[in-house]
Amino acid sequence: NGGFTLPTEKGLEQISRYLAYGGFILFDDTSASGSSGFYESVKRLTRALFPTRSLTAIPSNHSVYRSFFLLSRPVGRLDRHGFLEGVTVGNLAPLLVCRNDLSGALERNQNGLHPNPCVPGGESQRREAVKLGVNLLMYSLTANYKQDQVHVKELILKGRWSE
């Protein structure tokens, strides 16, 4: 069914501490189905880590969609779910879920070929999935720095930051 067992109490504490100190976790549901054992396990883990927050759709203006490439929606091997889901804390999302099998679009075999077709969009969908992968990597490293860019001009004018 693709589900997994929740970590021990100590494991949950370690994951919680990791996220609290700026860590990032991406869950990639490779089933891309409406409801999978994996996704149900992710929801249980999320409730254990964030008892007062829930997984919600990440809006299209979130910095994860703009951290490098400008994206309107997340795609992977499949294009079934029009948004990432995540837990937000302020304007950060330390935990995100992609339900379109991103890794399936990025996977390559020993010959460097992609073993999985991207449906329904083919190779143009795969290119968008690669862009999403880059954005997720950039977001994991820089969080919401793109939102802070509006302040750069003001900081330069005030002399508090130089180029």
Side-chain angles (χ1 to χ4, degrees):
N1 74 12
F4 57 86
T5 305
L6 287 181
T8 63
E9 196 64 38
K10 182 176 180 178
L12 288 171
E13 288 174 19
Q14 290 172 330
I15 295 169
S16 183
R17 189 175 325 112
Y18 166 74
L19 294 172
Y21 282 98
F24 173 77
I25 297 176
L26 170 69
F27 291 98
D28 183 27
D29 188 348
T30 60
S31 74
S33 68
S35 180
S36 70
F38 179 80
Y39 180 63
E40 294 303 317
S41 294
V42 169
K43 290 194 303 188
R44 281 195 310 278
L45 177 60
T46 301
R47 284 191 299 271
L49 292 170
F50 300 95
T52 62
R53 301 176 189 280
S54 60
L55 282 176
T56 57
I58 300 297
S60 61
N61 66 348
H62 192 276
S63 57
V64 73
Y65 295 114
R66 303 179 284 155
S67 59
F68 192 80
F69 294 104
L70 297 177
L71 302 176
S72 59
R73 58 184 281 118
V75 295
R77 177 180 61 87
L78 301 170
D79 183 5
R80 293 190 180 151
H81 303 278
F83 50 85
L84 296 171
E85 290 179 76
V87 173
T88 55
V89 179
N91 59 2
L92 298 176
L95 185 150
L96 290 175
V97 182
C98 178
R99 297 179 64 198
N100 287 326
D101 188 14
L102 177 62
S103 59
L106 304 179
E107 182 181 1
R108 290 181 184 257
N109 61 23
Q110 291 177 340
N111 298 329
L113 302 174
H114 297 285
N116 304 307
C118 289
V119 178
E123 292 307 304
S124 63
Q125 181 174 317
R126 188 180 314 280
R127 284 189 295 279
E128 292 303 304
V130 169
K131 290 177 184 180
L132 175 61
V134 170
N135 275 24
L136 287 164
L137 179 63
M138 291 298 293
Y139 184 77
S140 73
L141 295 172
T142 62
N144 65 350
Y145 87 99
K146 283 284 190 178
Q147 291 176 336
D148 293 335
Q149 293 298 299
V150 297
H151 302 292
V152 170
K153 184 176 179 182
E154 182 180 335
L155 291 172
I156 291 171
L157 291 174
K158 290 185 177 181
R160 295 186 183 172
W161 187 71
S162 60
E163 294 185 302

